[in-house]
Amino acid sequence: MKYKLGTLFVVLLLSLTSKAQQLSKPIWESKNLPVPESVLYSVADNKLYVSLIDGAGNVKDGKGGVAILNTDGSISNENWVEGLDAPKGLARFKNTLFVADITAVVSIDIPSGKIINKLEIEKAVFLNDVTVDDKGVVYVSDTRTNKIHRIKNGQSELYLENVTGANGLKWINKNLYVLANTELLKVDKHKNRSVLAKGFEKPGDGLEQLKNGDFIVSCWAGLIYYVKANGEVKKLQDVQGQMNTADLGYNPKENMLYVPTFNHNNVIAYQLLVN
């Protein structure tokens, strides 16, 4: 079969763009972790912090904790922090790790691994994700009440309400990005909201921004999406019915995604392939 030069160029371009974003096969799998919900990659110490619910996600049973993994999947400390209830989202500011834990935000001193504060959020029901701005102000979502709270100077306050299914949060360049049900919202400093992307098959969970400004979104039901900065959405993985894909972490240096599988009790690493 013969192609004209222009046609050949188009065929080659389509071939390349069809492979523009992919996930590799699993690089490693860290097993036997009791209900991992969130993974945070910490560039400061090149470690992975993993919240472990170890039970039901809405029960205050004291069985939860935080583990530390090495970036090769080996376990550094499975019992780094214990005595939490159902810890979910994680965020780091300097030497403090913040954890969303049902109705409270727990602060952990990273060098010692000791809990230094547990701030109960008024009328909270199901705190889910946390993020921190460049001044150390903490934002935490409450999925069941459709609210986002802010913690400033040790005090909590209602920041946003009527954010349907508020879950994944990420503070980026003075804007708060929010996974709200099946949409990705951008909230500016004046609390103005705009829809950056929409159309996820299930409610969003994990949110990470890539080096090029695009995003990775995970849905707990078993979906991972690549979201371009212009709002274009591409499905990278669909493992619904096989395992969950909860609040993932991202290592920009290695372009690695770390996916906690919740009821599947492991964390799986994939490399994000972008041509």
Side-chain angles (χ1 to χ4, degrees), residues 34-35 50-56 59-67 78-88 99 101-102 115:
V35 193
V50 183
S51 60
L52 304 175
I53 294 177
D54 195 10
V59 177
K60 295 185 176 184
D61 55 12
K63 294 170 59 178
V66 180
E78 186 173 358
N79 303 307
W80 180 60
V81 172
E82 298 178 298
L84 302 181
D85 292 313
K88 299 175 183 69
V99 186
D101 195 12
I102 306 184
I115 295 173

mmCIF file of all heavy atoms in Angstrom, residues 34-35 50-56 59-67 78-88 99 101-102 115:
data_model
loop_
_atom_site.group_PDB
_atom_site.id
_atom_site.type_symbol
_atom_site.label_atom_id
_atom_site.label_comp_id
_atom_site.label_asym_id
_atom_site.label_seq_id
_atom_site.Cartn_x
_atom_site.Cartn_y
_atom_site.Cartn_z
ATOM 1 N N PRO A 34 -3.500 -2.973 55.395
ATOM 2 C CA PRO A 34 -4.909 -3.008 55.783
ATOM 3 C C PRO A 34 -5.705 -1.774 55.340
ATOM 4 O O PRO A 34 -5.693 -0.745 55.988
ATOM 5 C CB PRO A 34 -4.859 -3.137 57.308
ATOM 6 C CG PRO A 34 -3.541 -2.553 57.696
ATOM 7 C CD PRO A 34 -2.611 -2.821 56.566
ATOM 8 N N VAL A 35 -6.368 -1.907 54.218
ATOM 9 C CA VAL A 35 -7.241 -0.881 53.629
ATOM 10 C C VAL A 35 -6.509 0.456 53.432
ATOM 11 O O VAL A 35 -6.792 1.452 54.108
ATOM 12 C CB VAL A 35 -8.528 -0.667 54.458
ATOM 13 C CG1 VAL A 35 -9.554 0.151 53.674
ATOM 14 C CG2 VAL A 35 -9.140 -1.993 54.867
ATOM 15 N N VAL A 50 1.339 6.376 53.672
ATOM 16 C CA VAL A 50 0.120 5.670 53.275
ATOM 17 C C VAL A 50 -0.838 5.613 54.460
ATOM 18 O O VAL A 50 -0.495 5.091 55.522
ATOM 19 C CB VAL A 50 0.434 4.231 52.810
ATOM 20 C CG1 VAL A 50 -0.836 3.536 52.327
ATOM 21 C CG2 VAL A 50 1.500 4.227 51.721
ATOM 22 N N SER A 51 -2.045 6.158 54.265
ATOM 23 C CA SER A 51 -3.047 6.069 55.331
ATOM 24 C C SER A 51 -3.718 4.701 55.267
ATOM 25 O O SER A 51 -4.093 4.223 54.198
ATOM 26 C CB SER A 51 -4.091 7.183 55.192
ATOM 27 O OG SER A 51 -4.774 7.106 53.962
ATOM 28 N N LEU A 52 -3.864 4.078 56.428
ATOM 29 C CA LEU A 52 -4.431 2.727 56.539
ATOM 30 C C LEU A 52 -5.681 2.777 57.404
ATOM 31 O O LEU A 52 -5.609 3.046 58.602
ATOM 32 C CB LEU A 52 -3.401 1.774 57.154
ATOM 33 C CG LEU A 52 -2.047 1.685 56.439
ATOM 34 C CD1 LEU A 52 -1.089 0.794 57.220
ATOM 35 C CD2 LEU A 52 -2.218 1.166 55.017
ATOM 36 N N ILE A 53 -6.830 2.507 56.810
ATOM 37 C CA ILE A 53 -8.082 2.550 57.560
ATOM 38 C C ILE A 53 -8.227 1.332 58.464
ATOM 39 O O ILE A 53 -8.667 1.443 59.607
ATOM 40 C CB ILE A 53 -9.280 2.650 56.589
ATOM 41 C CG1 ILE A 53 -9.237 3.996 55.861
ATOM 42 C CG2 ILE A 53 -10.597 2.487 57.336
ATOM 43 C CD1 ILE A 53 -10.324 4.175 54.827
ATOM 44 N N ASP A 54 -7.864 0.161 57.952
ATOM 45 C CA ASP A 54 -7.908 -1.092 58.718
ATOM 46 C C ASP A 54 -9.284 -1.311 59.363
ATOM 47 O O ASP A 54 -9.404 -1.551 60.558
ATOM 48 C CB ASP A 54 -6.819 -1.102 59.787
ATOM 49 C CG ASP A 54 -6.601 -2.508 60.355
ATOM 50 O OD1 ASP A 54 -7.160 -3.471 59.782
ATOM 51 O OD2 ASP A 54 -5.898 -2.634 61.371
ATOM 52 N N GLY A 55 -10.324 -1.227 58.533
ATOM 53 C CA GLY A 55 -11.679 -1.417 59.044
ATOM 54 C C GLY A 55 -12.650 -0.632 58.194
ATOM 55 O O GLY A 55 -12.418 -0.377 57.019
ATOM 56 N N ALA A 56 -13.753 -0.207 58.795
ATOM 57 C CA ALA A 56 -14.739 0.592 58.076
ATOM 58 C C ALA A 56 -14.285 2.045 57.977
ATOM 59 O O ALA A 56 -13.605 2.565 58.865
ATOM 60 C CB ALA A 56 -16.090 0.516 58.779
ATOM 61 N N VAL A 59 -15.971 4.525 60.948
ATOM 62 C CA VAL A 59 -16.092 4.043 62.334
ATOM 63 C C VAL A 59 -14.873 4.473 63.146
ATOM 64 O O VAL A 59 -13.724 4.255 62.745
ATOM 65 C CB VAL A 59 -16.218 2.504 62.375
ATOM 66 C CG1 VAL A 59 -16.260 2.013 63.820
ATOM 67 C CG2 VAL A 59 -17.462 2.059 61.624
ATOM 68 N N LYS A 60 -15.137 5.059 64.296
ATOM 69 C CA LYS A 60 -14.063 5.474 65.197
ATOM 70 C C LYS A 60 -13.673 4.296 66.082
ATOM 71 O O LYS A 60 -14.187 4.133 67.190
ATOM 72 C CB LYS A 60 -14.508 6.671 66.031
ATOM 73 C CG LYS A 60 -14.765 7.922 65.206
ATOM 74 C CD LYS A 60 -15.092 9.118 66.084
ATOM 75 C CE LYS A 60 -15.259 10.379 65.256
ATOM 76 N NZ LYS A 60 -15.496 11.586 66.080
ATOM 77 N N ASP A 61 -12.745 3.490 65.580
ATOM 78 C CA ASP A 61 -12.367 2.261 66.280
ATOM 79 C C ASP A 61 -10.910 2.233 66.733
ATOM 80 O O ASP A 61 -10.471 1.269 67.354
ATOM 81 C CB ASP A 61 -12.653 1.043 65.398
ATOM 82 C CG ASP A 61 -11.971 1.138 64.031
ATOM 83 O OD1 ASP A 61 -11.107 2.023 63.844
ATOM 84 O OD2 ASP A 61 -12.315 0.331 63.148
ATOM 85 N N GLY A 62 -10.147 3.273 66.419
ATOM 86 C CA GLY A 62 -8.757 3.326 66.847
ATOM 87 C C GLY A 62 -7.837 2.338 66.161
ATOM 88 O O GLY A 62 -6.690 2.169 66.583
ATOM 89 N N LYS A 63 -8.313 1.712 65.070
ATOM 90 C CA LYS A 63 -7.503 0.691 64.385
ATOM 91 C C LYS A 63 -6.652 1.261 63.255
ATOM 92 O O LYS A 63 -5.773 0.584 62.724
ATOM 93 C CB LYS A 63 -8.420 -0.396 63.821
ATOM 94 C CG LYS A 63 -9.147 -1.207 64.877
ATOM 95 C CD LYS A 63 -10.211 -2.086 64.261
ATOM 96 C CE LYS A 63 -9.639 -3.055 63.235
ATOM 97 N NZ LYS A 63 -10.704 -3.946 62.674
ATOM 98 N N GLY A 64 -6.911 2.512 62.871
ATOM 99 C CA GLY A 64 -6.223 3.086 61.712
ATOM 100 C C GLY A 64 -4.830 3.594 62.033
ATOM 101 O O GLY A 64 -4.443 3.733 63.192
ATOM 102 N N GLY A 65 -4.085 3.898 60.971
ATOM 103 C CA GLY A 65 -2.740 4.419 61.166
ATOM 104 C C GLY A 65 -2.133 4.894 59.859
ATOM 105 O O GLY A 65 -2.802 5.012 58.838
ATOM 106 N N VAL A 66 -0.834 5.174 59.909
ATOM 107 C CA VAL A 66 -0.084 5.618 58.729
ATOM 108 C C VAL A 66 1.178 4.787 58.630
ATOM 109 O O VAL A 66 1.920 4.630 59.613
ATOM 110 C CB VAL A 66 0.286 7.116 58.814
ATOM 111 C CG1 VAL A 66 1.073 7.537 57.573
ATOM 112 C CG2 VAL A 66 -0.970 7.980 58.963
ATOM 113 N N ALA A 67 1.425 4.248 57.429
ATOM 114 C CA ALA A 67 2.636 3.481 57.160
ATOM 115 C C ALA A 67 3.572 4.303 56.281
ATOM 116 O O ALA A 67 3.152 5.263 55.629
ATOM 117 C CB ALA A 67 2.291 2.165 56.468
ATOM 118 N N GLU A 78 5.607 -0.092 58.791
ATOM 119 C CA GLU A 78 4.179 -0.338 58.619
ATOM 120 C C GLU A 78 3.361 0.259 59.747
ATOM 121 O O GLU A 78 2.181 0.590 59.571
ATOM 122 C CB GLU A 78 3.902 -1.840 58.535
ATOM 123 C CG GLU A 78 2.455 -2.168 58.219
ATOM 124 C CD GLU A 78 2.227 -3.652 57.983
ATOM 125 O OE1 GLU A 78 3.201 -4.423 58.029
ATOM 126 O OE2 GLU A 78 1.069 -4.033 57.748
ATOM 127 N N ASN A 79 3.965 0.447 60.911
ATOM 128 C CA ASN A 79 3.239 0.947 62.085
ATOM 129 C C ASN A 79 3.788 2.289 62.543
ATOM 130 O O ASN A 79 3.888 2.552 63.740
ATOM 131 C CB ASN A 79 3.335 -0.074 63.221
ATOM 132 C CG ASN A 79 2.805 -1.438 62.814
ATOM 133 O OD1 ASN A 79 1.685 -1.565 62.330
ATOM 134 N ND2 ASN A 79 3.626 -2.472 62.990
ATOM 135 N N TRP A 80 4.112 3.149 61.597
ATOM 136 C CA TRP A 80 4.729 4.434 61.929
ATOM 137 C C TRP A 80 3.850 5.248 62.872
ATOM 138 O O TRP A 80 4.305 5.777 63.880
ATOM 139 C CB TRP A 80 5.016 5.215 60.643
ATOM 140 C CG TRP A 80 5.647 6.538 60.858
ATOM 141 C CD1 TRP A 80 6.851 6.790 61.473
ATOM 142 C CD2 TRP A 80 5.126 7.815 60.471
ATOM 143 N NE1 TRP A 80 7.106 8.138 61.484
ATOM 144 C CE2 TRP A 80 6.067 8.788 60.880
ATOM 145 C CE3 TRP A 80 3.966 8.219 59.813
ATOM 146 C CZ2 TRP A 80 5.877 10.154 60.652
ATOM 147 C CZ3 TRP A 80 3.780 9.568 59.573
ATOM 148 C CH2 TRP A 80 4.721 10.523 59.990
ATOM 149 N N VAL A 81 2.562 5.347 62.553
ATOM 150 C CA VAL A 81 1.602 6.009 63.442
ATOM 151 C C VAL A 81 0.425 5.064 63.638
ATOM 152 O O VAL A 81 -0.097 4.494 62.674
ATOM 153 C CB VAL A 81 1.104 7.343 62.850
ATOM 154 C CG1 VAL A 81 -0.041 7.906 63.686
ATOM 155 C CG2 VAL A 81 2.237 8.352 62.769
ATOM 156 N N GLU A 82 0.024 4.893 64.890
ATOM 157 C CA GLU A 82 -1.110 4.025 65.209
ATOM 158 C C GLU A 82 -2.137 4.811 66.029
ATOM 159 O O GLU A 82 -1.878 5.934 66.451
ATOM 160 C CB GLU A 82 -0.631 2.801 66.003
ATOM 161 C CG GLU A 82 0.339 1.914 65.237
ATOM 162 C CD GLU A 82 0.835 0.735 66.053
ATOM 163 O OE1 GLU A 82 1.489 0.982 67.098
ATOM 164 O OE2 GLU A 82 0.555 -0.408 65.658
ATOM 165 N N GLY A 83 -3.309 4.194 66.233
ATOM 166 C CA GLY A 83 -4.316 4.795 67.100
ATOM 167 C C GLY A 83 -5.238 5.790 66.428
ATOM 168 O O GLY A 83 -6.008 6.481 67.108
ATOM 169 N N LEU A 84 -5.196 5.863 65.105
ATOM 170 C CA LEU A 84 -6.151 6.702 64.391
ATOM 171 C C LEU A 84 -7.436 5.904 64.168
ATOM 172 O O LEU A 84 -7.502 4.723 64.501
ATOM 173 C CB LEU A 84 -5.548 7.179 63.071
ATOM 174 C CG LEU A 84 -4.232 7.966 63.165
ATOM 175 C CD1 LEU A 84 -3.761 8.401 61.785
ATOM 176 C CD2 LEU A 84 -4.367 9.162 64.091
ATOM 177 N N ASP A 85 -8.422 6.538 63.571
ATOM 178 C CA ASP A 85 -9.697 5.840 63.368
ATOM 179 C C ASP A 85 -9.816 5.324 61.933
ATOM 180 O O ASP A 85 -9.593 4.143 61.685
ATOM 181 C CB ASP A 85 -10.861 6.761 63.741
ATOM 182 C CG ASP A 85 -10.906 7.040 65.236
ATOM 183 O OD1 ASP A 85 -10.785 6.073 66.027
ATOM 184 O OD2 ASP A 85 -11.045 8.214 65.633
ATOM 185 N N ALA A 86 -10.135 6.198 61.007
ATOM 186 C CA ALA A 86 -10.225 5.793 59.594
ATOM 187 C C ALA A 86 -9.541 6.858 58.748
ATOM 188 O O ALA A 86 -10.195 7.613 58.028
ATOM 189 C CB ALA A 86 -11.680 5.615 59.171
ATOM 190 N N PRO A 87 -8.212 6.958 58.849
ATOM 191 C CA PRO A 87 -7.479 8.032 58.171
ATOM 192 C C PRO A 87 -7.583 7.936 56.655
ATOM 193 O O PRO A 87 -7.535 6.855 56.088
ATOM 194 C CB PRO A 87 -6.040 7.820 58.642
ATOM 195 C CG PRO A 87 -5.961 6.363 58.966
ATOM 196 C CD PRO A 87 -7.311 6.028 59.546
ATOM 197 N N LYS A 88 -7.708 9.111 56.052
ATOM 198 C CA LYS A 88 -7.831 9.167 54.589
ATOM 199 C C LYS A 88 -6.782 10.127 54.028
ATOM 200 O O LYS A 88 -5.620 9.818 54.014
ATOM 201 C CB LYS A 88 -9.268 9.530 54.212
ATOM 202 C CG LYS A 88 -10.279 8.490 54.723
ATOM 203 C CD LYS A 88 -11.708 8.904 54.448
ATOM 204 C CE LYS A 88 -12.694 7.893 55.038
ATOM 205 N NZ LYS A 88 -12.710 7.917 56.519
ATOM 206 N N VAL A 99 -3.615 14.763 58.486
ATOM 207 C CA VAL A 99 -4.406 13.586 58.120
ATOM 208 C C VAL A 99 -5.877 13.855 58.384
ATOM 209 O O VAL A 99 -6.254 14.281 59.483
ATOM 210 C CB VAL A 99 -3.964 12.349 58.935
ATOM 211 C CG1 VAL A 99 -4.698 11.104 58.445
ATOM 212 C CG2 VAL A 99 -2.457 12.147 58.875
ATOM 213 N N ASP A 101 -9.312 12.498 59.396
ATOM 214 C CA ASP A 101 -9.697 11.302 60.153
ATOM 215 C C ASP A 101 -11.137 11.412 60.658
ATOM 216 O O ASP A 101 -11.380 11.757 61.826
ATOM 217 C CB ASP A 101 -8.719 11.097 61.314
ATOM 218 C CG ASP A 101 -8.818 9.702 61.915
ATOM 219 O OD1 ASP A 101 -9.470 8.836 61.311
ATOM 220 O OD2 ASP A 101 -8.227 9.479 62.995
ATOM 221 N N ILE A 102 -12.073 11.167 59.769
ATOM 222 C CA ILE A 102 -13.530 11.163 60.008
ATOM 223 C C ILE A 102 -14.064 12.547 60.394
ATOM 224 O O ILE A 102 -14.697 13.215 59.590
ATOM 225 C CB ILE A 102 -13.964 10.109 61.034
ATOM 226 C CG1 ILE A 102 -13.466 8.707 60.635
ATOM 227 C CG2 ILE A 102 -15.493 10.095 61.140
ATOM 228 C CD1 ILE A 102 -13.945 7.588 61.547
ATOM 229 N N ILE A 115 1.863 12.120 67.282
ATOM 230 C CA ILE A 115 0.693 12.974 67.064
ATOM 231 C C ILE A 115 0.839 14.204 67.956
ATOM 232 O O ILE A 115 1.017 14.091 69.173
ATOM 233 C CB ILE A 115 -0.598 12.216 67.398
ATOM 234 C CG1 ILE A 115 -0.792 11.047 66.421
ATOM 235 C CG2 ILE A 115 -1.799 13.154 67.349
ATOM 236 C CD1 ILE A 115 -1.946 10.132 66.772
#
